[in-house]
Amino acid sequence: VTNSETSTATVLGLGAMGSALARALLTAGHPTTVWNRSADKAVPLVEQGAVRASTVAEAIEASPLTIVCLVDATAVHELLDEAGDALSGRVLVNLTSGTPEHARTLADRAVHYVDGGIMAVPPMIGGPDALVLYSGSGEAFAAHRPVLESLGAARYLGEDPGLAALYDFALLSGMYGMFAGALHAYALVGTEGVPATAFNELLVPWLDAMASTLPRVAEEVDSGDYGSDSPLAMQATGVASLIEASRAQGITPDLILPVKRLMDEAVAAGHGDSDVAALVRVMARGAPR
Ligand code: FVH
């Protein structure tokens, strides 16, 4: 891997995200070659100064760095089949969403492979709030870091190519947990005509206050030394009432039931006196459900 030409890049895949990535590279002044299965998606980028390649191999050979962003890992494998030897000596940064195992399998196909997880939606790319997680070849990442930073803040996590996907899904888990709880709350107060926008006056500071307890929760998860300020046995009873109240208001408790099930399992496993952090113990058993 050399960094002598690190300012040029190729983008394979020009869907909503791939186009945003190519636009950000062009805006940052990096000469950019693009390719997409449906050629018409390259037109606006060519108008912005990109060079359109007619084949995957031609696109890859145009730059020392190729960024791929397709619908899924299967499409990336197909693309690599099409690329032949073009990647030899070049760096592949895969920003397609996939599992850690997908990333590790793809890494076996390219010598200089970096996987990435994009923590942003297309309009955020190139802006101050975009974050991209990377893992895989540290040498390749370091050589192309200046170009990659034009997409958003770049955070390198380590040599295991699966790490970026793992962190990506862990962050998404936090996000979906928050949205699930907030949507259940809106549905609940909505049964009495309270608009979600009005309820936010209470909900948002409450969630902020709960988020501020995460450092303590995380310490308990790491140490296995769980606090007992809000014992799970007490919380499980409270959540049972929450479920009953939801049903009585005509709201399905579907988003809350899995939390109750884990609490019951933790209590049955002897964690009734522990704080909520002890739920990780139950999850780590990985029992099929
Ligand atoms: N958009 C978003 O908000 C999220 C943010 C977080 C990361 N994701 C992931 O990014 C990947 C691409 O997402 P996208 O939004 O660009 O997706 P689409 O607009 O649907 O574009 C899909 C592109 O994939 C091409 N493609 C599909 N199948 C193949 C194939 N077999 N061979 C070659 N290319 C293929 C498709 O080409 P075409 O249909 O235009 O010809 C598009 O370029 C994704 O992993 C998200 O999870 C985005």
Side-chain angles (χ1 to χ4, degrees):
V1 183
T2 64
N3 60 5
S4 56
E5 291 177 280
T6 48
S7 63
T8 64
T10 286
V11 177
L12 304 177
L14 303 173
M17 184 53 85
S19 292
L21 298 172
R23 264 195 307 275
L25 291 167
L26 289 164
T27 303
H30 301 296
T32 303
T33 298
V34 294
W35 176 91
N36 193 60
R37 183 179 61 177
S38 319
D40 56 313
K41 287 192 182 153
V43 173
L45 291 159
V46 170
E47 282 167 5
Q48 205 188 321
V51 174
R52 189 179 77 78
S54 343
T55 66
V56 173
E58 184 188 317
I60 292 172
E61 282 162 0
S63 314
L65 166 67
T66 289
I67 297 169
V68 59
C69 189
L70 303 182
V71 67
D72 58 21
T74 305
V76 179
H77 277 290
E78 287 170 16
L79 204 82
L80 292 182
D81 292 342
E82 211 176 317
D85 293 334
L87 259 182
S88 171
R90 295 185 166 82
V91 169
L92 180 66
V93 173
N94 176 32
L95 299 183
T96 305
S97 298
T99 66
E101 212 38 53
H102 284 142
R104 291 174 191 129
T105 307
L106 282 163
D108 287 340
R109 300 193 58 179
V111 178
H112 307 298
Y113 180 87
V114 178
D115 206 82
I118 302 175
M119 308 314 298
V121 290
M124 290 164 67
I125 296 299
D129 296 325
L131 166 68
V132 187
L133 307 170
Y134 297 95
S135 63
S137 166
E139 187 192 357
F141 173 77
H144 295 283
R145 183 172 196 142
V147 180
L148 296 173
E149 278 178 337
S150 57
L151 308 177
R155 176 81 181 265
Y156 178 73
L157 299 168
E159 290 283 334
D160 172 359
L163 282 177
L166 187 75
Y167 276 56
D168 184 341
F169 287 132
L171 290 173
L172 290 179
S173 302
M175 180 191 82
Y176 283 119
M178 182 196 71
F179 282 139
L183 291 170
H184 189 90
Y186 293 146
L188 203 49
V189 296
T191 60
E192 299 298 342
V194 179
T197 44
F199 188 64
N200 267 353
E201 181 201 340
L202 292 170
L203 181 63
V204 173
W206 169 248
L207 290 178
D208 281 345
M210 290 300 101
S212 75
T213 70
L214 285 178
R216 179 181 54 75
V217 174
E219 271 174 28
E220 292 182 8
V221 167
D222 287 347
S223 67
D225 184 8
Y226 308 117
S228 57
D229 288 348
S230 299
L232 273 176
M234 175 277 289
Q235 293 202 51
T237 307
V239 173
S241 297
L242 192 169
I243 289 166
E244 186 186 337
S246 301
R247 287 195 173 115
Q249 294 292 130
I251 298 299
T252 173
D254 282 1
L255 291 172
I256 308 295
L257 286 172
V259 178
K260 173 70 165 59
R261 190 177 59 213
L262 281 173
M263 285 181 165
D264 290 343
E265 273 187 53
V267 171
H271 290 295
D273 291 334
S274 303
D275 273 345
V276 74
L279 292 185
V280 165
R281 272 286 179 82
V282 183
M283 289 181 221
R285 285 209 305 271
R289 302 186 183 286

